Amino acid sequence: MESEVYNQKGETVGRVTLPAAVFGLPWNPDLVHQVTVGMQEGKRLSLAQARGRGEVSGGGKKPWRQKGTGRARHGSIRSPLWRGGGVTHGPITERIYGQKINKKMRTKALYAALSAKYRDDELIFLDRLEISQPKTKDAMAVLTNLAAAAQAPSLLYRRGRRALIAAPRSSDSLVKSFRNLKPIALDEVRNLNPLEILTYQYLVLTEPETSIATLVSRGAVKK
């Protein structure tokens, strides 16, 4: 398994060998779905909050005496039976929506997503990404050259989530150059996950040898 490597000018500068254990796995929809949904639930914030009878105000005194009034017995107006009283089994902010995802499952789902990108020709390799000064114009020039070289015109669309650029290390110059390009995201290779990869149409890996070694080490896969 091989793929072409481009430079920032859109020129082919070589080829990179891809390990089949990372980029040659079959698609596993059940596993990928379970992992991505688990990650989405882990990001979900618990905002709903209802006050129980111990949190509402009032009710320090018994409304009326226990017997002799002809009315039902009550000990506090904070009871859920009363208007303005506490809520029984209401939602609380301590609720955790996420589910446990094993490390092996996350790694295999990551490799399945990478393999799908490779099969769909949505994986682009860039020899290095260097921008000396933070300029959106320079970042756009790199994307234009890559789109022409990889025959990916949608890489330049101004809407949607078009490309995720993963580099072995980040820098302020790169972050500031790409942050005004809303369809483009920048992250480090060590942080890649299935949800992030599948959110964007293209995945651009810079410094292929280093990036692939990092991905292989995620699962301790032998070449």
Side-chain angles (χ1 to χ4, degrees):
M1 299 175 60
E2 291 185 345
S3 182
E4 293 184 347
V5 180
Y6 306 100
N7 59 14
Q8 295 186 174
K9 297 181 180 180
E11 303 169 340
T12 302
V13 294
R15 300 184 68 85
V16 61
T17 302
L18 306 178
V22 178
F23 297 94
L25 294 184
W27 180 245
N28 191 335
D30 295 332
L31 174 63
V32 175
H33 178 267
Q34 182 177 353
V35 173
T36 53
V37 169
M39 295 184 66
Q40 288 175 329
E41 291 181 346
K43 292 182 177 181
R44 181 176 176 181
L45 298 178
S46 180
L47 301 177
Q49 169 69 23
R51 290 181 294 180
R53 65 182 299 164
E55 298 171 315
V56 296
S57 61
K61 179 183 177 182
K62 187 175 176 66
W64 49 75
R65 59 194 179 99
Q66 183 80 348
K67 297 183 178 181
T69 63
R71 290 181 288 183
R73 296 171 289 184
H74 287 285
S76 172
I77 63 174
R78 291 186 292 183
S79 167
L81 301 178
W82 285 69
R83 182 175 181 268
V87 177
T88 304
H89 304 305
I92 56 176
T93 54
E94 286 78 9
R95 179 177 178 181
I96 299 176
Y97 293 95
Q99 55 178 295
K100 183 179 182 298
I101 302 296
N102 296 331
K103 181 179 179 180
K104 289 184 178 180
M105 295 175 61
R106 290 199 307 267
T107 303
K108 190 171 182 180
L110 171 65
Y111 291 167
L114 291 170
S115 302
K117 289 294 182 185
Y118 173 74
R119 285 192 300 270
D120 296 339
D121 295 327
E122 295 177 346
L123 182 61
I124 303 175
F125 292 95
L126 184 64
D127 63 342
R128 63 176 56 86
L129 182 59
E130 296 177 351
I131 298 178
S132 57
Q133 296 181 352
K135 288 186 178 180
T136 305
K137 181 179 179 181
D138 294 344
M140 194 64 191
V142 174
L143 292 177
T144 302
N145 296 333
L146 279 180
Q151 298 181 357
S154 59
L155 189 64
L156 302 176
Y157 289 176
R158 297 185 179 182
R159 293 185 177 181
R161 294 181 173 91
R162 294 303 164 186
L164 170 64
I165 301 177
R169 69 199 66 82
S170 182
S171 66
D172 291 339
S173 178
L174 292 178
V175 172
K176 293 179 181 179
S177 298
F178 283 94
R179 67 183 178 183
N180 288 333
L181 302 175
K182 300 304 180 183
I184 308 298
L186 185 68
D187 200 355
E188 296 186 17
V189 177
R190 61 188 178 90
N191 297 329
L192 286 179
N193 57 74
L195 179 61
E196 192 177 32
I197 292 175
L198 297 177
T199 299
Y200 291 85
Q201 182 179 3
Y202 290 96
L203 174 63
V204 180
L205 288 179
T206 66
E207 301 182 32
E209 297 295 338
T210 304
S211 297
I212 292 175
T214 302
L215 292 172
V216 170
S217 65
R218 293 275 295 270
V221 180
K222 297 181 180 179
K223 295 185 178 179

